Amino acid sequence: MATSIGIMDSAYFVGRNEILTWINNRLHLNLSRIEEAASGAVQCQMMDMTFPGVVPMHKVNFDAKTEYDMIQNYKVLQEVFTKLKIPKHIEVNRLVKGRPLDNLEFLQWLKRYCDSVNGGIMNENYNPVERRSKGGKDRSFKTLKSAKSLPANTLNNSGSGETHTLNPNKASVPKQLRSSGGPGVANSSAEVQALSKQVTDLKLSMELLEKERDFYFAKLRDVEILCQVAELENDHVCVAIKKILYAADAKESALDEAQEYLNQILNAVNAEEETEA
């Protein structure tokens, strides 16, 4: 089972939309953003679906909003990992902050692990809605049936249970305002939501690119340090590598110069061997 996954594994190249689709299809949810899973409740239920009965769902708080409540969920998840002998450390302090990239990485790992256990096949006998009802709280979590429209002309008083009809005379002016300004407001709201989604996607893409940049920079730095070791510093291969690393600009001639340098060394070595022969 995929408990240890390298940072460049294909699991970490699974996109945000694919992760959200995986969560929503299996758990009958309607999440639209990765950070909505930051409470740890989704991860607990994914493990409950993969290993039925292992997760104490009565301890899982699907309504967790504070970091304290979220941490309790991750404690449940870490206990499950320990019970199943999964050597995965959960970066709780980073996940509860709700940052998209941190949560995406953890969900990418979780998807790879769950798929390695069940082959990516959904457990048809698992009822996610029923199992969530056994959780500590489930009042505001986004389910597929959470959105219901209210009557347009009535106001329900939740405290008394009474229904009041608006006075037509008093409501005539607001209705006119709504009828004239409603479409514009709706369009503006839709545009704001679309732009917010674009900003979130761009931020996520930027974070992924920065992470990839830092990964390869660290590799180049390791190569540089190795080439600076006293015993290897004057080695011909190391000298050629440093010609590429220290090139003034990104030009193809740096590689050509390094190859030409190695060819000269090889030709000199061959000539010396022929002379000795």
Side-chain angles (χ1 to χ4, degrees):
M1 292 182 288
T3 57
S4 180
I5 302 174
I7 192 171
M8 295 306 293
D9 188 275
S10 59
Y12 291 112
F13 291 93
V14 176
R16 177 182 63 89
N17 290 333
E18 185 175 344
I19 293 293
L20 289 172
T21 300
W22 174 66
I23 293 172
N24 291 334
N25 287 348
R26 278 163 170 68
L27 301 185
H28 296 181
L29 294 173
N30 191 24
L31 304 186
S32 58
R33 297 180 302 168
I34 288 294
E35 53 266 39
E36 289 174 344
S39 71
V42 164
Q43 294 85 334
C44 286
Q45 189 165 17
M46 276 298 182
M47 291 301 294
D48 183 65
M49 186 179 194
T50 306
F51 299 95
V54 173
V55 181
M57 292 297 292
H58 65 281
K59 294 184 179 180
V60 180
N61 184 355
F62 284 90
D63 195 33
K65 294 291 187 294
T66 66
E67 288 191 8
Y68 175 81
D69 289 336
M70 295 179 184
I71 289 172
Q72 304 313 307
N73 285 341
Y74 283 111
K75 283 184 178 179
V76 172
L77 186 62
Q78 191 69 73
E79 289 173 359
V80 171
F81 283 1
T82 302
K83 184 185 299 183
L84 296 172
K85 298 181 179 180
I86 300 174
K88 175 67 175 177
H89 175 68
I90 303 174
E91 298 287 349
V92 178
N93 292 333
R94 297 173 63 181
L95 295 174
V96 297
K97 300 298 182 184
R99 290 183 296 218
L101 183 59
D102 292 330
N103 282 275
L104 177 61
E105 286 182 1
F106 186 60
L107 288 168
Q108 288 169 332
W109 175 90
L110 185 65
K111 182 179 187 302
R112 167 57 68 88
Y113 177 77
C114 292
D115 288 349
S116 71
V117 174
N118 55 32
I121 301 174
M122 189 184 303
N123 184 353
E124 299 294 341
N125 298 322
Y126 185 84
N127 188 330
V129 178
E130 180 181 346
R131 288 294 292 167
R132 272 199 299 280
S133 68
K134 300 182 183 298
K137 296 179 182 178
D138 187 20
R139 292 196 301 272
S140 63
F141 214 71
K142 283 190 172 183
T143 60
L144 291 175
K145 298 180 181 180
S146 62
K148 295 183 180 178
S149 60
L150 296 175
N153 296 325
T154 61
L155 291 175
N156 292 326
N157 188 323
S158 59
S160 61
E162 297 176 357
T163 301
H164 302 284
T165 303
L166 293 174
N167 188 319
N169 294 329
K170 294 182 179 179
S172 59
V173 174
K175 282 184 178 179
Q176 291 174 359
L177 292 174
R178 286 196 300 271
S179 63
S180 61
V185 173
N187 290 337
S188 298
S189 178
E191 289 177 1
V192 170
Q193 290 181 357
L195 290 173
S196 297
K197 184 177 182 299
Q198 289 180 15
V199 169
T200 301
D201 291 343
L202 288 172
K203 284 183 178 179
L204 184 59
S205 299
M206 183 180 69
E207 290 177 353
L208 289 171
L209 289 172
E210 288 178 348
K211 180 183 175 183
E212 186 173 0
R213 177 204 64 190
D214 293 342
F215 173 81
Y216 286 113
F217 178 81
K219 293 295 183 185
L220 290 172
R221 178 58 180 153
D222 290 341
V223 171
E224 181 185 33
I225 292 173
L226 183 63
C227 291
Q228 291 175 343
V229 173
E231 293 81 357
L232 300 175
E233 188 173 9
N234 296 321
D235 182 85
H236 301 309
V237 174
C238 288
V239 172
I241 291 174
K242 285 188 285 187
K243 284 182 178 293
I244 298 174
L245 290 177
Y246 301 147
D249 52 13
K251 56 182 182 180
E252 295 181 1
S253 59
L255 177 60
D256 295 336
E257 289 175 5
Q259 290 177 333
E260 183 180 355
Y261 169 78
L262 288 177
N263 288 334
Q264 290 175 355
I265 297 300
L266 290 174
N267 291 335
V269 171
N270 291 334
E272 184 177 350
E273 289 179 351
E274 291 177 357
T275 301
E276 291 179 353

